[in-house]
Amino acid sequence: MDTSNPPRMISETTTLVVVARTKKPKTPLPKLQMGILMVLQLVEPIASMSIFPYINQLIRELGITGGDDAAVGYYAGIIESLFFVAQTLTMLRWSRLSDRIGRKPVLLVGLSGTCISILCFGLSTTFWGLVVSRCMCGVLNGNVSVMKTMVGELTDSTNMAQGFALIPIMWCIGGFIGPLIGGTLARPQDSWPGLFANPFWSKYPYFLPCVVSASGIIVGFFVLLFFLEETLSTKRRPKLTATTLGNSNGVDSNNREDLSQTSNMPLQSLLTPTIVIPIANYAMLALLDIALMALLPLFFSTPTYLGGLGFTPSRIGMWMAMFAISDGIFQALFFAKIVDWVGPKRLFCVSVSCFTPVVLMFPIMSWLVHTRGMVDHAIVFTLVSQLALTIIWDMAFGTVFMFITASAPTKNVLGTINGLGQTSASMARVIGPAFATSLFALSKEHNILNGNAVYVVLILLAGILRWLGSQLPDEIQDRDE
């Protein structure tokens, strides 16, 4: 890499402009391109979330726990953590590659890897088969970071909140459809014995939800291939006009060389407080969120005598789907308006403050089950309250994406900065599932703090995130100005 003439670093004291207070008219979102991106954002969480309703039952059926239900959490956490280990090792490389060769080729590789890995997961009959298939998905897929980069390139300071609001919406819709597919289609030979009487379905009882999820990815692959336009400025196909032909060997060529040089700036030059603080917030947010997402199905599936709710996979899928669709509707209708109203920093701080009461709902439900002996209306009310607080919590993601995007000194390093953010988040997600599920199992096995030690630790970490949120800039940087 040539560093003899590195690009000038942006001053850390760059003037910040409040997005909500500018008088500039809002730029309309490019509907077709954003729509294609959202299709891609949709198919991946469908695949990743479809395994959660049945993963704990699958581990029990593999027999690796020796019949110890309390140990299921250890193995479920390991499987999901190893996915993020693999993603952490490759995410930044995919993001930097997208700054050089373009966003579209990297997305195509990522979708192919996700499709192959989910099919392999459904055909796995051993614990290590599950591990290898999830690791394959992590290694081959850098799409999360690249798609956020493309949203940043397709928006400006006036419509950034609208653009980034769509990302959690798609994840929420995918989080609705995915668990519904996983919970409904798992073990089809039990639900529809006449239709799935072939011995294949008894040998691979969880293949059907995987193949349905893979079908959506294949559709996304061809939509991307034929309709999505490249957003990296150095790889866009210029229109053949008199102006572009006249400048083909002049200013345009010089600009492309400058942009190419900027995209190759050393990582060390990007590690300024302006960039690091939003990334640190995203990493801690990802740690707590993945811990919560790992605890939800584990708590739902844990037998009532161990302090869980004892739900079946189909009931788990129904509740997780309800969580996701309610969240998606709220984000779609209100997120951008709330950002304009209260500002991104204040919204982020309010959102992360909701994590503590969300976690407190778990021991409350355990106590209710213990005293009442069954899942009744009081527990359903507590679940609905937890859902409402989780919706507010999830708004933190849209706001932190805005801070990360606005921290980029130029758009041609936006892929690298999103890669740094996603790598940090993936590292946090490596720790999160194994940490939360193992601490849950440890708390229950040894009755630490009456089985509630996991919740106390998560609440303490939420306090650290609240402090990190206070370090974010008060205003969003407008890169255009």
Side-chain angles (χ1 to χ4, degrees):
M1 183 184 298
D2 181 14
T3 58
S4 59
N5 185 25
R8 187 181 65 182
M9 291 180 59
I10 304 301
S11 170
E12 294 176 13
T13 58
T14 300
T15 302
L16 300 179
V17 180
V18 182
V19 173
R21 295 179 184 173
T22 56
K23 300 300 181 182
K24 294 166 59 176
K26 280 193 175 182
T27 306
L29 289 174
K31 293 182 176 59
L32 177 60
Q33 294 305 299
M34 288 295 294
I36 295 171
L37 273 182
M38 293 308 109
V39 169
L40 304 182
Q41 282 285 160
L42 177 63
V43 296
E44 293 207 23
I46 288 176
S48 62
M49 295 294 288
S50 68
I51 72 172
F52 283 111
Y54 61 79
I55 182 65
N56 297 298
Q57 183 173 330
L58 172 57
I59 289 172
R60 289 190 188 99
E61 292 175 3
L62 291 178
I64 56 177
T65 64
D68 184 5
D69 285 340
V72 169
Y74 291 117
Y75 293 94
I78 288 171
I79 288 173
E80 202 55 28
S81 289
L82 288 176
F83 161 77
F84 289 112
V85 168
Q87 190 178 65
T88 300
L89 295 175
T90 59
M91 177 64 69
L92 185 56
R93 294 180 181 274
W94 286 119
S95 299
R96 298 210 81 180
L97 183 64
S98 77
D99 280 340
R100 294 195 295 271
I101 69 171
R103 318 300 184 197
K104 192 169 176 178
V106 174
L107 289 179
L108 289 169
V109 173
L111 284 177
S112 302
T114 302
C115 183
I116 294 169
S117 66
I118 192 66
L119 292 174
C120 291
F121 191 89
L123 294 172
S124 299
T125 56
T126 65
F127 175 72
W128 288 110
L130 300 177
V131 168
V132 169
S133 62
R134 291 300 287 159
C135 287
M136 183 193 308
C137 185
V139 167
L140 295 176
N141 193 345
N143 286 9
V144 174
S145 170
V146 177
M147 283 190 278
K148 289 175 188 172
T149 300
M150 296 187 77
V151 172
E153 290 170 327
L154 290 170
T155 59
D156 58 28
S157 62
T158 65
N159 58 10
M160 189 184 295
Q162 288 179 291
F164 279 105
L166 296 174
I167 295 178
I169 292 169
M170 291 301 106
W171 274 94
C172 290
I173 296 174
F176 166 76
I177 299 174
L180 206 59
I181 290 173
T184 304
L185 301 183
R187 302 190 61 83
Q189 74 278 13
D190 296 338
S191 302
W192 306 284
L195 189 59
F196 296 94
N198 193 293
F200 174 88
W201 301 108
S202 297
K203 186 176 181 180
Y204 305 106
Y206 302 101
F207 182 69
L208 184 60
C210 293
V211 76
V212 170
S213 300
S215 300
I217 296 173
I218 293 171
V219 171
F221 179 93
F222 285 107
V223 170
L224 164 62
L225 182 63
F226 294 114
F227 300 108
L228 185 67
E229 296 178 6
E230 181 60 65
T231 59
L232 183 64
S233 56
T234 56
K235 297 297 178 181
R236 286 189 193 133
R237 188 175 299 171
K239 296 179 180 179
L240 295 179
T241 64
T243 303
T244 57
L245 289 172
N247 291 336
S248 62
N249 294 317
V251 176
D252 185 63
S253 176
N254 293 333
N255 286 341
R256 287 174 180 267
E257 289 178 6
D258 291 342
L259 291 171
S260 179
Q261 186 181 29
T262 304
S263 68
N264 290 322
M265 68 162 41
L267 283 177
Q268 291 84 348
S269 66
L270 297 175
L271 300 181
T272 64
T274 303
I275 294 172
V276 170
I277 289 173
I279 289 175
N281 274 274
Y282 181 34
M284 182 60 77
L285 183 69
L287 172 66
L288 293 178
D289 187 70
I290 196 67
L292 178 62
M293 289 301 102
L295 279 180
L296 273 173
L298 181 58
F299 179 80
F300 288 164
S301 69
T302 297
T304 54
Y305 71 89
L306 287 174
L309 298 183
F311 284 178
T312 61
S314 60
R315 198 169 184 184
I316 294 171
M318 181 193 72
W319 271 107
M320 293 188 72
M322 186 181 298
F323 271 49
I325 197 64
S326 302
D327 195 1
I329 292 171
F330 185 89
Q331 303 282 347
L333 296 177
F334 301 111
F335 174 76
K337 294 177 182 178
I338 295 174
V339 170
D340 289 340
W341 177 38
V342 303
K345 180 178 180 178
R346 187 177 300 173
L347 178 58
F348 181 85
C349 291
V350 170
S351 297
V352 300
S353 298
C354 289
F355 187 81
T356 295
V358 166
V359 171
L360 286 174
M361 297 297 177
F362 289 117
I364 290 172
M365 285 186 282
S366 293
W367 176 78
L368 288 171
V369 169
H370 178 72
T371 55
R372 296 169 182 263
M374 59 181 293
V375 177
D376 61 4
H377 295 298
I379 295 174
V380 172
F381 176 79
T382 309
L383 277 170
V384 173
S385 301
Q386 189 181 53
L387 164 63
L389 290 167
T390 304
I391 289 172
I392 302 174
W393 156 260
D394 275 352
M395 286 195 289
F397 282 96
T399 51
V400 83
F401 295 157
M402 293 172 63
F403 280 109
I404 291 173
T405 298
S407 71
T410 70
K411 287 188 176 181
N412 280 72
V413 294
L414 187 53
T416 299
I417 288 174
N418 273 308
L420 284 170
Q422 199 62 43
T423 298
S424 301
S426 294
M427 291 175 65
R429 287 169 173 147
V430 168
I431 303 168
F435 169 75
T437 55
S438 298
L439 189 55
F440 179 89
L442 192 67
S443 301
K444 298 301 181 184
E445 281 183 345
H446 300 282
N447 201 33
I448 303 173
L449 297 180
N450 200 28
N452 297 319
V454 58
Y455 310 127
V456 173
V457 173
L458 290 176
I459 289 171
L460 292 175
L461 291 175
I464 296 175
L465 175 59
R466 179 61 183 82
W467 175 81
L468 281 172
S470 69
Q471 305 304 304
L472 288 168
D474 293 329
E475 303 162 344
I476 289 288
Q477 178 180 350
D478 190 339
R479 191 172 50 244
D480 299 331
E481 297 184 358

